[in-house]
Structures are given as C-alpha cells and as structure tokens.
C-alpha cells in the first residue's frame, strides 16, 4: 500500500513537470501557394498556432473557425495584432479551443491594414443611409403619437445588426466589438411615448402656414433620434479603422484522426464484508481493470474525469475473520464494477460494487454483491497506429 502511494506521488510530480513543459504545435499558412499545413489535416483535440508570412502593412489578422455543417455562430474567432510601433512580416494566431478529430471545418483568414479617410467616410455614409431607411420603414405617425412597429429592444438589436453588417469588412486596431447603443439612445426612444401630438403646433419649431404640424413635430423627433444614433456610430467608426484587404478561405478542411485508447487501472482496493458476520469487515488487495470515460478531456474535463470502471482483484488469498476464502466469478477472483473519478490524469478513485463468492471451510459457497472502494494508477493502451491521441 505504501509503495502504491509512493508511486502515485512520483507520477504526480512527473505530470506537473511535463505540463510545465507543454508546447503547442504550429502549422503554416502559405499565402502564395494558398495552402494550409502543407495540405495535411490540421491538429485536433489540442491547442495549436497558425503562423504565416504577411505584407508589412498588415496590422491585424482575423481567423474564424467553425464546423462546416454549422453556422459561424458555432465557432470561434481569433485575432493577431501587430505590436505597437513595430512592423511584422509574419503573424501567429493561437487557436485556443481544440477542434474535434476527424471532422471538417471552415477556416476564414482576414487580413487588415489601415483604412483610408475616404473608405471610412464611405462606410459611415452607407451605414447612416441604412439606419435611416430602417427607422423610416418602421415608423407610423398617428393622432396619438409616433408608433414604431418594433419594440425598443428590437430596434436597438436591429440597429446594431445594421451597423455590424455595414462594417463587416472593417475592424478596430484592437478588434473591439461595438459595445451597443448607450442610454442616450434608449432614453430618446422612450421619449416618443411622451410626445403630445395634440399640441404639435405649439411644440414643433419651424411650422409654417399650411404645414402638417404633427408631421413636422414627428420629423423633428426623428431627426434628433437619428443624430444621436449617427453620433454613436461615428464614434465607433473612428479614423483608426482597419480595412479588410485580403482573405483566404478553406472550406471543408479536415482535422487529424485520433486513435482510440483504453485506460487501464492498476491499484489497491478494499471490499466491504457483512454477509454472515457479526460486524462489518474489510478485505484488501490489488486489482486491475479498465475505465470508459464519459467524455472527451479536450472538450469536457469534468465528464472526462468520470468513468464506468470494471475489473477484478488479483489476489486469491483473501479471507474474512471466519477464515472463509473470498473469491469471485472471474478466475476465482472478485469482479468489481462502479464509477471512477480521475485526479491529475493518472490517479483514479473507484467506488462501486463487487461480485464475490464466500467459500466456507465445509465447502459451502455464498454468492453476493457488496460495496468496494479503491485507488489506482491509470495507464492508456492505444488502439491503432500513428498519432497516439
């Protein structure tokens, strides 16, 4: 028992050292050959870097990855930004969320450089026009006031979508996302509910003879609302905007296949005995078995630590206080089944039940199922060849 715990302690410190020295693999993007990782599948079930050469004017690289059969919302976006004050001829993006093995992915690389003043002005004008058109479409002027077809929350969400769609080919230097419209816009939307259209001719400015006072009053409100919205849009679309100047898209690109492994457990356990005894007893001994994890460690660490475990005790010399031999249905050895939980990836605590046979000195046998608990070291048996992951 002491030797087992010493082995566990040594293995734990070995694991700590190996984790500290963990290095991520790197694949290359060749812009000239339009080739990723030399045409080979990209890494799966691990973090990895994507590296490639870029022109000196490129300041930002954006990588979006998602499963080919799903929408971009099911994936992740990563950025590389040139360090302040430097010119780089290569980028390196860390893909932090592991990809699933033997699946196809869509990879979209975008390359950005500083946008010209004219480009920024054109995108602002386009977004202004689209926002104004949207507001006009949902607006109705009635005797009771100004009515919008959408709720305030829907309006804010749609305004944000229009902005993001119009600025799709642009990014800020630090890849900041639009934070949403401020309370100033929200309060202005709420204000329309308090407008008194019956007093429009007194509240509206610039009403001339023959004018529709309600229409003038409503237009005045809408102009003020648009001005607030446009100001927030312009604040976001600063002069530091970066424009997308090139892109490389890889569709249905495969990931590496991973060979299957079976976790083998070798440990020491205790079986609880009560059958025919005056009080509870325990018999102990080494055991060996296998575990079937309930998840993949790369994606669900907690569930991957849980397992269904099964195996048998190795000793055939276990006896209780009545000198009855404790055996079982497998090679006259107790057979266990239960749940296991892994610690530090190499130590597994198992708990469950054991099928045992109690053999009395008179030759009689009693079969029953009884609890057990055990602690084991875990080793992985790889099934297949090549990459042992």
């Amino acid at each position: 028992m002491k030797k087992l715990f010493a082995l566990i302690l040594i293995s734990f410190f070995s694991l700590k050292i190996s984790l500290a020295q963990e290095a991520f693999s790197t694949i290359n993007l060749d812009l000239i050959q339009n080739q990723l990782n030399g045409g080979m599948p990209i890494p799966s079930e691990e973090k990895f870097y994507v590296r490639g050469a870029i022109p000196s004017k490129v300041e930002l690289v954006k990588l979006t990855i998602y499963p080919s059969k799903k929408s971009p919302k099911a994936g992740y976006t990563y950025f590389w930004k040139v360090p302040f004050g430097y010119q780089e001829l290569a980028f390196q993006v860390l893909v932090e969320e592991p990809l699933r093995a033997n699946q196809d992915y869509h990879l979209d690389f975008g390359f950005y450089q500083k946008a010209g003043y004219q480009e920024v002005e054109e995108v602002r004008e386009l977004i202004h026009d689209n926002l104004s058109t949207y507001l006009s479409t949902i607006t109705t002027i009635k005797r009771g006031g100004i009515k919008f077809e959408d709720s305030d929350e829907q309006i804010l969400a749609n305004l944000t979508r229009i902005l993001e769609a119009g600025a799709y080919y642009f990014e800020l230097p630090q890849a900041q996302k639009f934070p949403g419209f401020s309370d100033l816009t929200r309060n202005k939307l709420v204000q329309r509910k308090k407008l008194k259209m019956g007093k429009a001719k007194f509240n509206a400015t610039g009403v001339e003879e023959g004018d529709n006072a309600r229409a003038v009053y409503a237009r005045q409100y809408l102009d003020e609302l648009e001005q607030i919205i446009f100001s927030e849009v312009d604040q976001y679309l600063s002069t530091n905007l970066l424009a997308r100047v090139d892109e490389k898209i890889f569709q249905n690109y495969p990931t590496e296949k991973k060979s299957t492994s079976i976790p083998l457990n070798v440990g020491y356990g205790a079986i609880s005995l009560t059958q025919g005894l005056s009080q509870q007893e325990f018999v102990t001994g080494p055991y060996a078995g296998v575990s079937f994890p309930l998840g993949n460690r790369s994606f669900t660490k907690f569930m991957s630590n849980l397992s269904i475990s099964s195996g048998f005790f190795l000793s055939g010399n276990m006896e209780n206080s009545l000198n009855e031999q404790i055996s079982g249905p497998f090679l006259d050895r107790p057979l266990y089944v239960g749940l296991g939980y892994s610690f530090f990836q190499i130590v597994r605590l198992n708990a469950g039940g054991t099928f045992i046979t109690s053999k009395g000195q008179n030759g009689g046998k009693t079969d029953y199922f009884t609890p057990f608990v055990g602690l084991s070291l875990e080793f992985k048996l790889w099934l297949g060849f090549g990459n042992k992951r």
Side-chain angles (χ1 to χ4, degrees), residues 126-140 147-163 181 185 189 192 219 222 225-226 229-230:
L126 173 64
I127 293 174
H128 287 183
D129 290 343
N130 291 339
L131 293 172
S132 181
T133 300
Y134 166 68
L135 290 175
S136 298
T137 302
I138 64 171
T139 303
T140 303
K147 303 296 182 183
F148 288 150
E149 293 181 8
D150 297 335
S151 67
D152 290 354
E153 290 303 318
Q154 287 176 315
I155 291 173
L156 292 170
N158 290 336
L159 292 175
T160 300
R161 279 193 285 267
I162 291 171
L163 169 58
F181 289 94
T185 300
L189 287 173
R192 77 181 186 280
R219 184 67 261 173
L222 292 173
L225 175 62
E226 286 185 357
I229 293 173
F230 293 168

Side-chain angles (χ1 to χ4, degrees), residues 51-70:
R51 181 180 175 83
I54 52 173
S56 60
K57 291 185 178 181
V58 170
E59 298 185 20
L60 183 75
V61 177
K62 177 181 178 181
L63 169 59
T64 301
I65 306 179
Y66 58 92
S68 295
K69 295 182 179 180
K70 297 184 179 180

Side-chain angles (χ1 to χ4, degrees), residues 270-283 319-322 352 356 368-373:
I271 303 173
S272 173
L273 303 177
T274 56
Q275 186 79 16
L277 301 173
S278 59
Q279 60 182 5
Q280 185 182 34
E281 296 180 9
F282 291 93
V283 291
E319 293 183 348
N320 61 19
S321 61
L322 300 179
I356 67 173
Y368 60 98
F369 187 73
T370 187
F372 99 100
V373 65

Side-chain angles (χ1 to χ4, degrees), residues 27-39 50-63 80 88-93 107-113 244-250:
I27 64 173
N28 189 64
L29 171 64
D30 190 329
L31 294 176
I32 298 176
Q33 299 294 329
N34 194 30
Q35 196 173 64
L36 180 63
N37 198 27
V50 181
R51 181 180 175 83
I54 52 173
S56 60
K57 291 185 178 181
V58 170
E59 298 185 20
L60 183 75
V61 177
K62 177 181 178 181
L63 169 59
W80 171 87
E88 293 287 342
L89 298 178
F91 75 93
Q92 184 168 274
V93 176
L107 296 94
D108 185 340
F109 293 87
F111 302 90
Y112 296 78
Q113 68 183 40
R244 188 174 178 122
V245 293
D246 194 13
E247 63 184 18
K248 295 295 180 183
I249 298 176
F250 298 88

Side-chain angles (χ1 to χ4, degrees), residues 55-296:
S56 60
K57 291 185 178 181
V58 170
E59 298 185 20
L60 183 75
V61 177
K62 177 181 178 181
L63 169 59
T64 301
I65 306 179
Y66 58 92
S68 295
K69 295 182 179 180
K70 297 184 179 180
S71 72
K73 294 181 179 180
Y76 294 89
T77 299
Y78 306 97
F79 293 92
W80 171 87
K81 172 70 173 65
V82 64
F84 177 74
Y86 287 83
Q87 281 191 338
E88 293 287 342
L89 298 178
F91 75 93
Q92 184 168 274
V93 176
L94 175 61
V95 178
E96 297 187 72
E97 293 296 328
L99 308 180
R100 296 192 177 274
N102 198 26
Q103 287 194 13
D104 293 341
Y105 281 81
H106 182 105
L107 296 94
D108 185 340
F109 293 87
F111 302 90
Y112 296 78
Q113 68 183 40
K114 188 172 178 60
Y117 176 80
Q118 189 61 35
E119 289 180 285
V120 176
E121 288 302 308
E122 287 177 358
V123 72
R124 284 178 176 175
E125 184 177 345
L126 173 64
I127 293 174
H128 287 183
D129 290 343
N130 291 339
L131 293 172
S132 181
T133 300
Y134 166 68
L135 290 175
S136 298
T137 302
I138 64 171
T139 303
T140 303
I141 302 173
K142 297 182 178 180
R143 181 180 297 272
I146 301 173
K147 303 296 182 183
F148 288 150
E149 293 181 8
D150 297 335
S151 67
D152 290 354
E153 290 303 318
Q154 287 176 315
I155 291 173
L156 292 170
N158 290 336
L159 292 175
T160 300
R161 279 193 285 267
I162 291 171
L163 169 58
E164 291 175 346
Y168 178 80
Y169 291 102
F170 296 85
E171 293 284 348
L172 288 178
Q174 299 300 326
Q176 302 100 320
K177 295 297 182 183
F178 180 63
F181 289 94
S182 70
D183 289 341
L184 192 61
T185 300
R186 293 176 178 271
N187 293 336
K188 194 64 179 179
L189 287 173
V190 173
Q191 184 187 19
R192 77 181 186 280
K193 302 172 184 178
K194 303 177 182 179
L195 297 180
K196 304 297 184 182
M197 300 304 288
K199 300 181 180 180
K201 63 180 180 180
F202 303 108
N203 295 327
T205 58
V207 179
E208 298 180 0
E209 188 70 25
D211 287 345
N212 185 324
R214 289 192 179 90
V216 173
Y217 193 30
R219 184 67 261 173
Q220 180 180 318
Y221 164 79
L222 292 173
D223 288 342
E224 293 172 356
L225 175 62
E226 286 185 357
Q227 188 59 44
I228 293 174
I229 293 173
F230 293 168
S231 296
E232 297 202 38
V233 169
D234 293 347
Q235 185 177 2
Y236 172 68
L237 300 175
S238 68
T239 55
N240 293 325
L241 212 58
L242 302 177
R244 188 174 178 122
V245 293
D246 194 13
E247 63 184 18
K248 295 295 180 183
I249 298 176
F250 298 88
Q251 295 181 333
N252 301 319
Y253 203 93
T255 58
E256 293 175 338
K257 296 181 180 180
K258 298 294 185 183
S259 55
T260 305
S261 65
I262 295 181
L264 301 180
N265 295 275
V266 178
Y268 203 85
I271 303 173
S272 173
L273 303 177
T274 56
Q275 186 79 16
L277 301 173
S278 59
Q279 60 182 5
Q280 185 182 34
E281 296 180 9
F282 291 93
V283 291
T284 61
Y287 67 84
V290 295
S291 296
F292 301 94
L294 301 181
N296 188 311

Side-chain angles (χ1 to χ4, degrees), residues 260-374:
T260 305
S261 65
I262 295 181
L264 301 180
N265 295 275
V266 178
Y268 203 85
I271 303 173
S272 173
L273 303 177
T274 56
Q275 186 79 16
L277 301 173
S278 59
Q279 60 182 5
Q280 185 182 34
E281 296 180 9
F282 291 93
V283 291
T284 61
Y287 67 84
V290 295
S291 296
F292 301 94
L294 301 181
N296 188 311
R297 183 174 297 277
S298 298
F299 309 105
T300 55
K301 290 184 179 180
F302 177 77
M303 292 302 295
S304 69
N305 288 332
L306 284 174
S307 68
I308 301 295
S309 301
S310 182
F312 61 95
F313 281 76
L314 302 176
S315 175
N317 299 319
M318 292 186 292
E319 293 183 348
N320 61 19
S321 61
L322 300 179
N323 295 323
E324 296 175 333
Q325 183 182 4
I326 305 301
S327 62
F330 182 78
L331 300 176
D332 288 332
R333 301 292 192 272
L335 180 67
Y336 74 84
V337 62
L339 283 175
Y341 189 83
S342 176
F343 299 90
F344 318 122
Q345 301 184 28
I346 56 171
V347 182
R348 186 170 292 276
L349 174 65
N350 293 302
T354 311
F355 297 95
I356 67 173
T357 299
S358 176
K359 297 181 180 180
Q361 294 181 343
N362 59 1
K365 295 183 179 180
T366 303
D367 297 321
Y368 60 98
F369 187 73
T370 187
F372 99 100
V373 65

